[in-house]
Amino acid sequence: MADQIGDFIDQLLEPHNHISLYLDPLSVASTDDTLSHPGLSLAQPESLVRLILGIDTLQPRLIRTLLEKLPEFIGDEEEAKEHLGETKTWVKVLRQLRWLDYIVDSSELTEKLLEALGFVPPDMQSEIIAALPDIVSDADGGQVSRVLALMLKEAPELTLPILETLGSLECSPALLLDARNSIVTHLVSAEPLDLPVMIKFLLQSGPADSSPATIQRIRRRLDMDSILLVSRQPSKSSTAHTNNDGQAPDVLIFDVITTSLRTHKHLRDAWLKIISTDEDKIGPQTTLDIVVLLVLHQVSTYTKRVESVLRAKIDTVSSGAVAYTPMVMDSVVSRFPAVFAAHFPALLSVSSWLVRTSPLGSQGARVASAMLVAAFSTMGMLQRQEI
């Protein structure tokens, strides 16, 4: 009987242009019974396919049928464009498989999804990868993670969905290390809007004892000036270099770093120690370090330690390799006004501390003046009034 019903379902789903009928929620006609007994109506109507997936004897065959039909939906993008707002058929298919109460053969489902990743186009790959945590069972998470870690090396354009999915799966330490190494390799060439997710994964996915090495690699490979340059290049799309909220990549990157520092003490300790012992010349890492110092200065238990580090950097003779000179501070604040506007209370606090504790005309006083002048010149009316 199950085979006969399965054959009938296959026939229903066979016409390519009819399958959406069975993927959309059913509409239940109102009758006298449903009007007098509201409990008889469906609170959240399901599709016919979803309802059949709840039947154990029919589920495995229906899943095979749906996933084997994915190649037929390649090219549906053009049809979806003609009908604005219409969901692509293969997206509807993936929705049917999400959050199932029970999966009869989870290993086969996982195998079929991973197999599909090998032959579908990038946009479909991205949707499948994003849906994996809601579809596969916990027991298959390791297999999925291994495949995604390999794809991270071979398909950098899928970095965002892969990292978001890896963050939702159980990953072995060795696999995480492999993924982190791949991310570091791609930091220089990554799209600016991909970098916040990459930096977040690097800072928050590793063990505490690896944080100093991770921070050093970020400081050496994350060139904020290059990111700023790319972000300011003209583009056909006005939103090509901003996220959906209109925020630029440099602001988003520092938002991620700020959140990570506020959340994880081992990151605060490691970054502050690296800055205090750094003997590198002023370079791409300087902007990162200055913003990190501002963030940490706002954490009461770190304020005195940050002031000590700043004083050592500022009081270094002007020719010193690591000196935070007035010219350096003016340049950094002027180049990244949106970033420092987001941390304006910290900038104002550090500047006020320097003015209070530095003799008139000293290096510290000149650095404070340079920061405030740069902020006044590049920020909005609110910050100018504060200054």
Side-chain angles (χ1 to χ4, degrees):
M1 177 65 72
D3 289 339
Q4 292 176 334
I5 297 175
D7 291 340
F8 177 68
I9 293 172
D10 287 347
Q11 292 175 12
L12 282 179
L13 300 179
E14 183 59 34
H16 177 68
N17 56 341
H18 287 171
I19 190 170
S20 283
L21 295 174
Y22 310 110
L23 299 173
D24 291 330
L26 296 169
S27 56
V28 181
S30 298
T31 64
D32 292 340
D33 288 338
T34 57
L35 291 174
S36 58
H37 301 284
L40 293 177
S41 60
L42 296 175
Q44 289 184 326
E46 301 278 16
S47 68
L48 177 61
V49 165
R50 181 77 178 190
L51 292 173
I52 296 174
L53 285 172
I55 304 173
D56 290 357
T57 54
L58 301 176
Q59 186 194 85
R61 178 168 175 173
L62 178 53
I63 286 176
R64 282 196 298 273
T65 299
L66 290 172
L67 295 181
E68 287 170 0
K69 291 181 75 67
L70 281 179
E72 299 179 18
F73 308 132
I74 297 175
D76 273 3
E77 294 81 0
E78 296 303 321
E79 184 178 338
K81 287 178 183 176
E82 294 177 6
H83 303 83
L84 294 178
E86 184 174 322
T87 305
K88 299 168 188 173
T89 305
W90 47 269
V91 173
K92 293 180 182 179
V93 169
L94 292 174
R95 284 179 181 172
Q96 312 305 307
L97 303 176
R98 280 179 140 146
W99 304 297
L100 288 172
D101 293 332
Y102 176 70
I103 301 174
V104 177
D105 191 343
S106 62
S107 60
E108 183 184 14
L109 171 58
T110 301
E111 185 179 338
K112 287 286 186 184
L113 284 168
L114 295 179
E115 182 184 315
L117 287 175
F119 59 78
V120 297
D123 57 342
M124 197 181 290
Q125 285 179 317
S126 180
E127 289 284 351
I128 293 174
I129 291 169
L132 285 172
D134 303 328
I135 297 177
V136 302
S137 66
D138 293 340
D140 297 319
Q143 179 186 359
V144 172
S145 298
R146 287 191 293 274
V147 172
L148 294 183
L150 183 61
M151 290 184 69
L152 199 56
K153 299 177 183 178
E154 300 175 348
E157 70 276 8
L158 296 172
T159 294
L160 244 60
I162 289 175
L163 292 185
E164 289 172 352
T165 297
L166 283 177
S168 303
L169 299 172
E170 289 292 332
C171 301
S172 68
L175 189 144
L176 277 177
L177 179 61
D178 193 34
R180 287 154 58 82
N181 288 336
S182 297
I183 295 168
V184 170
T185 302
H186 292 130
L187 275 181
V188 175
S189 58
E191 290 294 323
L193 283 175
D194 290 351
L195 287 168
V197 175
M198 297 169 73
I199 298 299
K200 180 180 179 180
F201 188 87
L202 286 173
L203 290 175
Q204 300 186 12
S205 66
D209 58 5
S210 70
S211 56
T214 299
I215 291 169
Q216 284 285 33
R217 297 172 82 181
I218 291 174
R219 290 172 74 248
R220 289 170 182 158
R221 300 186 69 87
L222 190 64
D223 188 343
M224 294 305 303
D225 288 303
S226 296
I227 294 167
L228 192 65
L229 184 63
V230 172
S231 301
R232 288 177 175 175
Q233 288 177 350
S235 171
K236 293 180 181 179
S237 170
S238 59
T239 60
H241 300 310
T242 60
N243 73 343
N244 292 335
D245 297 325
Q247 291 180 299
D250 56 332
V251 176
L252 294 170
I253 289 169
F254 281 110
D255 281 350
V256 165
I257 292 174
T258 299
T259 301
S260 299
L261 289 170
R262 288 173 177 167
T263 308
H264 301 285
K265 182 179 183 297
H266 66 272
L267 293 176
R268 297 196 294 269
D269 291 337
W271 212 314
L272 185 58
K273 183 177 181 180
I274 287 170
I275 296 174
S276 64
T277 58
D278 180 31
E279 295 183 356
D280 292 340
K281 293 182 178 180
I282 295 295
Q285 82 284 354
T286 304
T287 302
L288 283 172
D289 290 347
I290 291 173
V291 174
V292 167
L293 289 173
L294 292 182
V295 171
L296 295 182
H297 191 264
Q298 295 295 93
V299 181
S300 59
T301 54
Y302 286 80
T303 301
K304 292 298 182 183
R305 292 164 62 185
V306 170
E307 289 174 357
S308 177
V309 172
L310 279 169
R311 181 64 69 186
K313 299 287 187 183
I314 290 170
D315 286 348
T316 305
V317 293
S318 299
S319 59
V322 294
Y324 289 173
T325 64
M327 183 179 297
V328 168
M329 301 301 270
D330 172 82
S331 174
V332 169
V333 175
S334 297
R335 293 200 315 275
F336 298 91
V339 171
F340 284 93
H343 298 281
F344 182 73
L347 183 147
L348 202 58
S349 176
V350 168
S351 301
S352 299
W353 163 73
L354 284 171
V355 169
R356 289 195 313 270
T357 60
S358 304
L360 190 64
S362 67
Q363 181 83 338
R366 290 197 298 272
V367 166
S369 175
M371 293 171 67
L372 292 174
V373 169
F376 190 88
S377 302
T378 58
M379 295 183 191
M381 184 59 66
L382 180 63
Q383 288 85 5
R384 292 183 182 186
Q385 289 175 346
E386 288 286 329
I387 293 172

